[in-house]
Amino acid sequence: NFKQIIMFRSHTNGELSLKNLNEEVTLSGWVQTIRDKGFMIWVDLRDRYGITQLVFDQERSSAQLMEEAKKLGREFVIQATGRVIERVSKNPNIPTGEIEILVEKLTILNDSQLPPFTIEDETDGGEELRMKYRYLDIRRNPVKDKLIFRHKMAQKVRNYLSEEGFIEVETPVLIKSTPEGARDFVVPSRMNPGQFYALPQSPQTFKQLLMVGGMDKYFQIVKCFRDEDLRADRQPEFTQIDCEMAFVEQEDVMNVFEGMTKTLLKDITGQEFGNFPRMTFADAMRKYGNDKPDIRFGMEFVELNELVKGKDFKIFDDAELVVGINVEGCAEYTRKQIDELVDWVKRPQIGASGMVWAKFQNDGVKTSSVNKFYNEEDLAKIIEKFGAKEGDLMLILSGNENKVRAQLSALRMELGNRLGLRKGNEFAPLWVVDFPLLEWDEDTERYHAMHHPFTSPKPEDIHLLETDPGKARANAYDMVLNGNEIA
């Protein structure tokens, strides 16, 4: 029993209510705030379950107890025993807001120096300072809630996969290096000088061995390590839900993990999700310029080669691809706002050489930054190709096909953020399927596996390996959620 084992407290700071009126209770936790009126002192006591108000009253508390209460400071760890009483001034914003504890005994378990930042949801501490004092940061609700949420999701994953017949198997962390997508972290062996272990980028080899050993459904929530350059979605170590199945086809695997994701999304959002849409890799690249599109909003790519070439505009004439997006309702953007977007795509991280724009203004006027080369009829055809309506703004990039798709994809995502189209409370999962098996590496002048060497080609494309390897498709598929590859 929790209350029998944890003798420092009879209750947590998030559970007491009017039902406990007049009970004697013992609470422990951290001092959140202190309000000292001289004749009366209120202390908000916090643990991970919530906050309970303690009260020290000159009329009802001893002089010694009042002196002890005056010594308290923020983040002191204390134990308080007292009687549950009804609050005069109730706080409807917290579960314990109808009661307070009239303290009869106070023990300071540990005092504290003044914290370097406030332990509040909206703190005054910068990220670097909070990382230095991570143990303090964990006391804040935003961090605490994420840890609890992660725990709950891990439990649900384990329950779901266990019910599907999977078994959880731990695999070694000190392993022999295997060829994968990044560099290994290495650990020198004390017992074998000059030799090294590698930290696993994934348990790929081990789960294959488990399949050979007859364990046909395996999973683990596992730590992986990759020595690669840091990016927004890359870090040296990360945790993944690692799975493997035997005697299955692609559809079997997709059904199991789509079901798991639906279960998790329902728990998170309360919404039921139907079958996830599917999109081929080729369509994802053609419509969105990347293989993990965020489909919460539109702005699909519109290719313009057949309309804009041959009009003596050299930038378009020399380009392998001219492609754009329609930004609905933004024709009122000023020249300054558009120039800022031009500067944004010309940054080294994006690498575009410039940007052309066209507007279908609210008054019906059609104009562009290249009116010199395209007459009114040309412009009408371009706007029609976009499917634009009055009030829309079209942004157009050109150049090498692969590069310009990546550049326009980055611009699309940036505009999605700026216009509030990537809403945190909306979820749009999909499968991206039919990835190329191989991709050409200009540096080594040879083909490499696009996903990893363990991916098999589609049976109907095996003959292409001899004649046109770049066109062979793989039995590879990614689950994408809101622009992030999650499986």
Side-chain angles (χ1 to χ4, degrees):
N1 184 287
F2 177 78
K3 294 178 183 177
Q4 290 177 333
I5 296 170
I6 310 298
M7 299 308 295
F8 274 96
R9 57 188 177 189
S10 61
H11 298 76
T12 69
N13 288 314
E15 65 176 299
L16 295 173
S17 68
L18 289 174
K19 293 187 219 174
N20 305 100
L21 215 56
N22 295 317
E23 289 182 18
E24 183 172 289
V25 297
T26 299
L27 303 179
S28 295
W30 289 261
V31 172
Q32 177 79 14
T33 57
I34 306 163
R35 299 181 299 285
D36 187 348
K37 297 293 186 182
F39 63 91
M40 189 172 283
I41 300 170
W42 293 273
V43 174
D44 283 349
L45 187 64
R46 183 195 72 243
D47 60 14
R48 78 174 174 94
Y49 304 94
I51 287 177
T52 298
Q53 180 170 282
L54 312 180
V55 62
F56 302 82
D57 184 346
Q58 206 168 52
E59 292 184 2
R60 294 175 288 179
S61 305
S62 68
Q64 182 182 353
L65 191 57
M66 292 294 290
E67 285 303 311
E68 286 293 312
K70 288 179 182 293
K71 296 177 184 176
L72 297 178
R74 279 169 44 199
E75 298 308 305
F76 275 42
V77 185
I78 65 172
Q79 181 187 49
T81 299
R83 186 165 48 87
V84 180
I85 61 175
E86 186 171 359
R87 283 176 68 161
V88 175
S89 178
K90 295 180 173 57
N91 181 355
N93 298 317
I94 59 173
T96 61
E98 293 184 304
I99 59 93
E100 59 190 0
I101 310 302
L102 179 61
V103 179
E104 297 165 357
K105 179 182 178 184
L106 175 66
T107 304
I108 297 176
L109 301 175
N110 200 4
D111 59 12
S112 172
Q113 297 178 4
L114 186 68
F117 55 87
T118 56
I119 313 300
E120 303 280 357
D121 292 0
E122 299 296 329
T123 182
D124 57 359
E127 186 172 5
E128 189 172 332
L129 184 64
R130 288 187 287 109
M131 291 303 100
K132 180 178 179 180
Y133 298 97
R134 189 59 163 167
Y135 53 89
L136 296 178
D137 199 33
I138 290 171
R139 299 177 190 174
R140 296 173 52 244
N141 285 328
V143 181
K144 176 202 73 177
D145 291 345
K146 286 182 174 67
L147 292 173
I148 295 171
F149 175 78
R150 180 187 173 106
H151 159 73
K152 289 179 178 178
M153 289 299 102
Q155 292 299 98
K156 290 181 187 300
V157 166
R158 286 189 165 98
N159 291 339
Y160 176 89
L161 291 175
S162 296
E163 288 172 5
E164 290 289 326
F166 287 75
I167 63 163
E168 185 171 8
V169 181
E170 270 190 23
T171 54
V173 173
L174 296 175
I175 68 168
K176 178 182 178 181
S177 182
T178 57
E180 295 199 39
R183 293 181 297 272
D184 289 326
F185 282 107
V186 293
V187 180
S189 170
R190 179 183 60 81
M191 293 178 288
N192 301 283
Q195 298 187 44
F196 298 83
Y197 297 103
L199 299 181
Q201 296 182 37
S202 75
Q204 187 67 51
T205 303
F206 294 112
K207 63 185 180 183
Q208 298 295 335
L209 292 174
L210 286 168
M211 295 304 103
V212 174
M215 308 303 289
D216 63 326
K217 290 184 176 181
Y218 139 91
F219 85 97
Q220 69 173 313
I221 299 175
V222 62
K223 187 75 75 176
C224 299
F225 307 87
R226 295 182 182 176
D227 184 9
E228 56 187 355
D229 295 335
L230 299 179
R231 301 205 306 269
D233 59 349
R234 290 284 185 270
Q235 55 188 33
E237 61 176 84
F238 58 93
T239 303
Q240 69 183 28
I241 305 167
D242 194 64
C243 304
E244 191 66 58
M245 301 170 71
F247 304 116
V248 290
E249 300 288 348
Q250 174 175 317
E251 204 64 31
D252 301 311
V253 178
M254 293 174 75
N255 286 338
V256 167
F257 294 103
E258 182 171 321
M260 183 182 79
T261 307
K262 285 178 183 177
T263 299
L264 296 178
L265 285 174
K266 183 180 179 182
D267 285 330
I268 294 167
T269 68
Q271 301 172 33
E272 295 278 358
F273 285 78
N275 292 335
F276 293 177
R278 298 187 182 190
M279 184 182 300
T280 66
F281 172 87
D283 281 346
M285 297 303 294
R286 179 175 58 83
K287 292 180 178 181
Y288 301 101
N290 71 65
D291 59 5
K292 48 180 185 295
D294 188 340
I295 59 171
R296 284 175 293 180
F297 64 103
M299 291 193 214
E300 290 188 11
F301 289 10
V302 177
E303 297 179 11
L304 301 167
N305 280 22
E306 74 279 6
L307 290 180
V308 300
K309 286 181 177 284
K311 302 290 183 178
D312 296 326
F313 185 43
K314 185 173 172 58
I315 291 174
F316 283 176
D317 289 343
D318 293 347
E320 183 180 2
L321 176 66
V322 182
V323 63
I325 52 175
N326 181 26
V327 190
E328 295 182 359
C330 290
E332 294 183 356
Y333 266 32
T334 64
R335 183 61 182 267
K336 181 179 179 181
Q337 286 174 297
I338 294 175
D339 285 347
E340 193 275 325
L341 286 175
V342 174
D343 291 339
W344 191 89
V345 299
K346 290 170 74 173
R347 296 181 311 147
Q349 300 95 313
I350 309 300
S353 56
M355 183 178 74
V356 169
W357 57 264
K359 289 182 178 181
F360 191 179
Q361 296 179 166
N362 288 317
D363 57 7
V365 174
K366 299 168 184 175
T367 186
S368 77
S369 58
V370 287
N371 284 345
K372 178 180 176 182
F373 301 95
Y374 298 92
N375 60 35
E376 193 173 325
E377 184 181 347
D378 295 330
L379 202 53
K381 289 180 180 177
I382 292 170
I383 289 173
E384 183 182 3
K385 179 78 171 179
F386 275 103
K389 59 186 183 299
E390 289 185 6
D392 289 352
L393 170 68
M394 288 133 279
L395 303 177
I396 303 167
L397 300 180
S398 61
N400 171 273
E401 179 173 358
N402 291 335
K403 289 182 179 179
V404 79
R405 287 194 189 280
Q407 291 160 359
L408 190 60
S409 174
L411 177 61
R412 175 182 177 270
M413 297 292 269
E414 175 67 13
L415 286 165
N417 287 329
R418 293 188 185 193
L419 298 172
L421 302 176
R422 304 186 70 194
K423 297 175 182 175
N425 60 352
E426 290 183 8
F427 296 87
L430 81 153
W431 288 103
V432 177
V433 299
D434 294 351
F435 278 79
L437 178 70
L438 305 166
E439 59 183 342
W440 182 257
D441 182 24
E442 294 290 349
D443 294 333
T444 59
E445 295 186 345
R446 60 186 291 263
Y447 283 105
H448 290 273
M450 176 172 272
H451 259 54
H452 54 68
F454 302 97
T455 306
S456 64
K458 287 189 173 292
E460 62 268 30
D461 288 357
I462 289 177
H463 68 281
L464 293 173
L465 296 177
E466 298 293 336
T467 57
D468 194 353
K471 289 188 176 178
R473 296 168 301 160
N475 280 319
Y477 36 91
D478 284 348
M479 186 187 293
V480 176
L481 181 66
N482 296 358
N484 298 287
E485 175 196 334
I486 64 169

